[in-house]
Amino acid sequence: ADWCPPCVQLDEVFSQLSTEHKTLTFVQVDAESLLQVSERFDVSAIPSFLVLEGGKEKERLVASSAPQLVQLVSSAAAQVAGPAGSADEDASAQAPLEQRLKELTHSSPNMLLMKG
């Protein structure tokens, strides 16, 4: 969220980590535009970072600092055995939100979700 200073500060860290850790799938969600995602993952504060494995939450950080986020991502990356598979983005863009979320949360052994 642009109005949330911690979200703005950690956005750059999140982006950099996504380029450094290609074995993970990084997804950034705008808290105000996708309330269904917030409800599904019971996110009530921002910024929130979730590591998902097989569509289920494995770890969570709320209102974290850059070092905490780096540690979370490094830990998740260390647990991944190989590169993540890629889905056909054009086809999934046409699918209903619930279907796209299911495909997304199951596309990689580990995933970090940022709501902010």
Side-chain angles (χ1 to χ4, degrees), residues 66-109:
Q68 289 174 315
L69 179 56
V70 169
Q71 177 59 40
L72 177 75
V73 172
S74 297
S75 175
Q79 296 175 25
V80 176
S86 61
D88 182 10
E89 294 179 18
D90 293 332
S92 62
Q94 302 299 322
L97 177 61
E98 190 63 31
Q99 181 182 348
R100 290 191 330 234
L101 284 172
K102 183 176 180 180
E103 291 170 2
L104 183 63
T105 58
H106 289 85
S107 67
S108 178

Side-chain angles (χ1 to χ4, degrees), residues 54-65:
K56 296 181 181 177
E57 183 178 332
K58 188 172 177 182
E59 292 184 65
R60 175 184 296 238
L61 277 178
V62 178
S64 63
S65 66

